[in-house]
């Protein structure tokens, strides 16, 4: 009854709870949601068990994998499947940073790329490409648009954007193209990276050693080959993510501490202001424990109401 009649006092007590809890909930939901999105993205872009590239390769155009190595890797014990990927650097705009051109098999783009929205069918006679979300935002590209794609050999090819895909690895943008189309347009059959699917029960370390030996037999320094499993890449990526957002956990702690301090200060001030009221309650026969109980129950009810409002507000802010 007192809270209903003394709304200003209740508002002062509840405001700190609402503000601090809303901020904590909003940060938690947003960061957790983003982390889950990154995890799903990693699951899509890292379908293979093992990845290989050359150490010290520098830029994306330093090629080390040959067709002979790809074919030889397919015949190695414990290897179920091998795919190559070509990554080149192209300049869409001289005033902006270069973007990545990724040539990889696109037999099922909906499965191979973390798409935003659906895929459009490319018109006959025009090459299909897939724009990353950063590229689409920077250059105003959308699914269904056409533009001229500069190729590493200096040519420009009219292309059709079939869809837009999420990419958290390349902030300046990337264009994905089917490897067969890339090789047809450029004649370039070189490969930067290699993805290997392992057979059931096979050892990743044994496959790595076999691949180093095969590379040495083909005249490539096997010691320069770097390997990473999908699980290792996921672990490193999520560790970087958690480190990047570590400040949000401190913000949550600060918000809750400020909220608790505000509650303590508010209730302390109200208790001091209500001494005459407590004297009247004692005159009516309430014991000291009962007066403390009244204050405690009021505080619990107000805090619970503030927590509920803060939870709802935090969810709304996170949305």
């Amino acid at each position: 009854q007192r809270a209903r009649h003394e709304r200003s006092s209740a508002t002062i007590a509840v405001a700190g709870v609402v503000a601090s809890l809303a901020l904590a909930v909003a940060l938690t939901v947003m960061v957790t949601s983003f982390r889950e999105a990154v995890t799903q993205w990693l699951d899509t872009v890292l379908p293979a068990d093992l990845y290989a590239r050359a150490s010290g390769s520098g830029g994306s155009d330093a090629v080390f994998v040959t067709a002979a190595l790809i074919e030889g890797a397919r015949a190695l014990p414990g290897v179920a499947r091998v795919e190559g990927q070509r990554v080149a650097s192209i300049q869409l705009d001289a005033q902006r940073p270069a973007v990545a051109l990724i040539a990889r098999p696109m037999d099922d783009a909906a499965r191979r790329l973390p798409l935003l929205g659906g895929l459009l069918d490319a018109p006959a006679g025009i090459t299909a490409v897939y724009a990353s979300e950063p590229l689409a935002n920077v250059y105003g590209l959308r699914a269904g648009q056409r533009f001229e794609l500069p190729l590493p050999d200096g040519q420009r090819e009219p292309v059709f954007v079939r869809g837009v895909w999420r990419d958290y690895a390349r902030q300046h943008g990337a264009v994905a193209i089917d490897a067969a189309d890339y090789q047809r347009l450029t004649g370039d059959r070189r490969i930067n990276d290699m993805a290997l699917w392992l057979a059931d029960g096979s050892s990743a370390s044994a496959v790595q050693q076999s691949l180093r030996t095969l590379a040495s037999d083909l005249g490539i320094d096997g010691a320069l080959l770097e390997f990473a499993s999908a699980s290792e890449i996921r672990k490193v990526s999520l560790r970087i993510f958690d480190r990047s957002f570590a400040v949000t956990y401190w913000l949550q702690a600060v918000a809750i501490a400020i909220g608790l301090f505000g509650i303590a200060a508010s209730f302390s001030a109200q208790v001091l202001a209500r001494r005459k009221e407590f004297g009247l309650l004692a005159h009516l026969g309430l014991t000291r424990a009962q007066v403390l109980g009244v204050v405690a129950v009021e505080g619990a009810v107000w805090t619970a109401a503030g927590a509920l409002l803060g939870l709802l507000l935090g969810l709304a802010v996170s949305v």
Side-chain angles (χ1 to χ4, degrees):
Q1 288 297 318
R2 183 180 182 280
R4 187 166 66 87
H5 291 288
E6 297 289 339
R7 294 177 183 174
S8 59
S9 299
T11 301
I12 294 172
V14 168
V17 182
V18 173
S20 60
L21 188 60
L23 177 59
V25 170
L27 286 173
T28 300
V29 173
M30 287 190 294
V31 174
T32 303
S33 175
F34 190 18
R35 194 180 194 277
E36 179 63 20
V38 172
T39 302
Q40 294 178 5
W41 174 76
L42 288 169
D43 291 340
T44 303
V45 299
L46 298 173
D49 302 305
L50 189 65
Y51 293 86
R53 66 172 306 163
S55 61
S57 60
S60 60
D61 288 326
V63 179
F64 77 96
V65 178
T66 62
L69 185 59
I70 291 282
E71 293 301 323
R74 290 193 174 102
L76 290 177
V79 177
R81 178 180 159 201
V82 180
E83 281 185 3
Q85 175 177 279
R86 174 77 166 108
V87 181
S89 181
I90 59 175
Q91 199 81 36
L92 290 182
D93 186 341
Q95 304 301 318
R96 289 174 172 157
V99 303
L101 177 62
I102 305 171
R104 55 182 297 190
M106 288 292 177
D107 51 332
D108 186 359
R111 180 177 58 85
R112 289 179 175 271
L113 294 175
L115 294 170
L116 291 168
L119 284 174
L120 301 179
D121 293 330
I126 187 169
T127 303
V129 297
Y130 310 84
S132 71
E133 187 179 16
L135 185 82
N137 291 335
V138 171
Y139 292 92
L141 296 175
R142 296 293 180 267
Q145 285 188 237
R146 303 188 185 201
F147 71 100
E148 283 198 345
L149 177 69
L151 299 173
D153 59 4
Q155 301 181 59
R156 300 184 75 87
E157 177 71 16
V159 295
F160 176 84
V161 180
R162 283 197 68 196
V164 178
W165 54 286
R166 285 191 182 93
D167 186 14
Y168 300 132
R170 302 170 185 86
Q171 64 176 348
H172 299 306
V175 180
I177 185 173
D178 187 75
D181 289 332
Y182 177 80
Q183 293 171 5
R184 173 178 55 82
L185 294 173
T186 64
D188 183 6
R189 298 184 177 277
R190 298 171 296 174
I191 300 297
N192 299 84
D193 305 310
M194 191 162 48
L196 301 97
W197 284 259
L198 305 183
D200 293 338
S202 60
S203 169
S205 58
V207 171
Q208 292 178 27
Q209 187 56 46
S210 299
L211 197 57
R212 292 185 194 276
T213 303
L214 175 63
S216 300
D217 294 341
L218 294 174
I220 303 171
D221 188 356
L224 293 179
L225 292 181
E226 279 187 349
F227 296 92
S229 67
S231 59
E232 290 173 348
I233 299 174
R234 286 190 189 94
K235 187 182 299 183
V236 171
S237 301
L238 293 177
R239 188 187 307 129
I240 293 171
F241 177 92
D242 292 335
R243 186 173 58 196
S244 301
F245 285 89
V247 66
T248 60
Y249 302 115
W250 290 103
L251 287 174
Q252 291 173 329
V254 169
I256 292 175
I258 291 175
L260 292 176
F261 178 80
I263 294 170
S266 174
F267 279 114
S268 298
Q270 289 187 41
V271 167
L272 291 176
R274 294 170 62 186
R275 284 180 297 178
K276 293 182 178 180
E277 175 189 340
F278 297 151
L280 177 59
L281 294 176
H283 179 73
L284 294 174
L286 271 71
T287 64
R288 181 181 179 86
Q290 289 173 325
V291 172
L292 291 175
V294 168
V295 175
V297 170
E298 283 186 15
V301 171
W302 290 356
T303 303
L308 179 60
L309 291 174
L311 177 62
L312 295 176
L313 180 59
L315 292 175
V317 170
S318 65
V319 170

